[in-house]
Amino acid sequence: MAQIRRPWTLQEYAYLKKHYPTSKPISDIAKAIDRSEEQTSFRARKLGLVRPRHCTELAVKNFEERHGKPLEAVANDYQRRRLSRMDLAADIGIDYKSLKKMLPPELWQSWPHNTVGRQLACEQRRA
């Protein structure tokens, strides 16, 4: 039996056209319009919408929106939980050097340096 697909509404098209060309995660867009990620990506391609190449500022902005706090506050939380700067950068979706540029020098320097023991403890906390 063929699955019946519901038609796209004007509101869904408008939301897709507004948010797809940003670096907002496709999963968030799909959830907001109650569609699968595959349907969302397929429809966007059919409309000729293009996602930007990686943009650090947009990735940080989206990360801040997801957490509801500024990057510095989230970084302090990571530091308190003894998670590494690499974990924070990976969770944001940026590289380590970009994270260093985004954080104040005093916060960056206050992070403990990873030793083998700290790395193992960090991996156990992440699990």
Side-chain angles (χ1 to χ4, degrees), residues 41-107:
S41 296
F42 179 77
R43 186 60 55 169
R45 283 193 306 272
K46 270 188 98 168
L47 293 172
L49 301 176
V50 179
R51 294 190 55 80
R53 297 273 182 218
H54 182 74
C55 175
T56 300
E57 289 78 18
L58 279 173
V60 170
K61 181 178 168 244
N62 291 334
F63 183 78
E64 290 173 334
E65 285 177 6
R66 279 196 309 271
H67 286 274
K69 341 178 182 177
L71 179 60
E72 288 182 41
V74 177
N76 283 324
D77 290 345
Y78 271 62
Q79 189 178 25
R80 238 178 278 114
R81 291 171 47 206
R82 295 182 173 202
L83 296 171
S84 72
R85 295 176 285 204
M86 290 291 280
D87 287 330
L88 177 58
D91 290 346
I92 297 171
I94 60 176
D95 65 357
Y96 189 74
K97 290 178 183 177
S98 298
L99 179 63
K100 185 175 183 177
K101 292 176 187 173
M102 303 297 282
L103 292 176
E106 57 277 357
L107 178 58

Side-chain angles (χ1 to χ4, degrees), residues 26 36 69 85 125:
I26 295 174
S36 70
K69 341 178 182 177
R85 295 176 285 204
R125 279 190 297 278

